Amino acid sequence: MDLAPIPRTAVSDTIFVRLVEEILTGRLPAGEPLPSERELSLTLQVNRHAVREALKRLQQAGLVRISHGGKTRVLDWRESAGLDALTGLALAGVIPARQIIGDVAVMRRSIAADAARLCARSASAQQRSVITAAAKAYPVSGELDLVIDADLTFWIAVIDGSGNIAYRLALNTLVAAYDEIGREAIYALGAAEFADRSAHIDLAAAIAAADEAAAYRLAEELLTRFVAACQADTEGEG
């Protein structure tokens, strides 16, 4: 393995990112053992504590298996990794960023539409009020910075109102992935969805009325716009 030394000012985060890239690109193949902590610390010119912390994070991400007293082996990320690997895949160039954004858009649509349905069914009066207020506070101008914050505030309220903790954690992961890839560019691509104030207000009204079918339909229609934009962008690139 040919790795350049880590700058002395770096910490375990940098080691983690470097090793993620090596694993996701296949330069560290699945099934192969990683060098020992001592070997990694010497190669990367960092202390062993930083290496140990990075390896723990790799294990938490499902990229390696640490065997006490044995070798730390690389896992097949397609079988063991979670959503947290999205950012690493994009940064490492293993899968084109456009494909990842499109795949995330499809997943986001599925989760958000069902969350809207669940929210219409079971949200409390206070949660419905928060969603209505978030929709009414949506910017009229469509200015990107304002739209980004307003859209995230709205969907956090909807997903919290659904009561599904898995959906909430998935949202956190998707937001982190978008931040790493470039949220401004993503929102600009999906302007037909993100800047539509009236569509957010209509969806909030369906949720407030406890109309599950309408909430699902309106959410799916709204989020399909971004999916379509991603598909058109990918086709245009090809």
Side-chain angles (χ1 to χ4, degrees), residues 34-229:
L34 283 180
S36 67
E37 287 182 8
R38 179 176 178 279
E39 291 170 324
L40 284 171
S41 65
L42 289 173
T43 301
L44 301 173
Q45 297 183 15
V46 294
N47 64 66
R48 290 183 65 174
H49 175 73
V51 170
R52 190 174 299 118
E53 289 300 311
L55 292 177
K56 287 179 181 177
R57 288 184 61 190
L58 287 173
Q59 180 170 246
Q60 292 169 352
L63 296 178
V64 303
R65 177 180 293 111
I66 299 174
S67 300
H68 297 291
K71 295 283 189 180
T72 295
R73 293 192 176 274
V74 178
L75 299 175
D76 184 341
W77 62 265
R78 291 184 179 275
E79 297 178 358
S80 59
L83 285 174
D84 289 339
L86 282 172
T87 300
L89 288 168
L91 296 179
V94 180
I95 296 175
R98 281 181 169 82
Q99 180 182 337
I100 292 177
I101 293 170
D103 289 349
V104 168
V106 172
M107 179 180 177
R108 173 177 173 269
R109 176 179 61 183
S110 298
I111 290 175
D114 192 55
R117 178 185 64 82
L118 293 173
C119 188
R121 174 193 297 177
S122 58
S124 67
Q126 181 179 2
Q127 288 171 325
R128 296 176 200 272
S129 177
V130 169
I131 293 166
T132 299
K136 288 182 177 178
Y138 216 83
V140 177
S141 67
E143 186 177 338
L144 189 59
D145 289 342
L146 298 177
V147 168
I148 288 175
D149 291 339
D151 181 74
L152 184 56
T153 297
F154 178 82
W155 284 109
I156 286 174
V158 171
I159 289 179
D160 284 348
S162 76
N164 189 308
I165 188 63
Y167 284 174
R168 185 63 165 91
L169 296 178
L171 173 65
N172 294 343
T173 302
L174 298 185
V175 168
Y178 277 169
D179 283 341
E180 290 291 336
I181 296 171
R183 204 181 341 163
E184 290 80 6
I186 291 170
Y187 272 70
L189 174 64
E193 171 198 327
F194 299 119
D196 192 336
R197 181 175 185 269
S198 62
H200 288 78
I201 291 174
D202 290 345
L203 175 54
I207 291 172
D211 189 336
E212 295 180 45
Y216 184 93
R217 175 178 54 79
L218 290 170
E220 185 177 47
E221 289 175 355
L222 177 61
L223 275 70
T224 292
R225 300 181 195 179
F226 184 39
V227 173

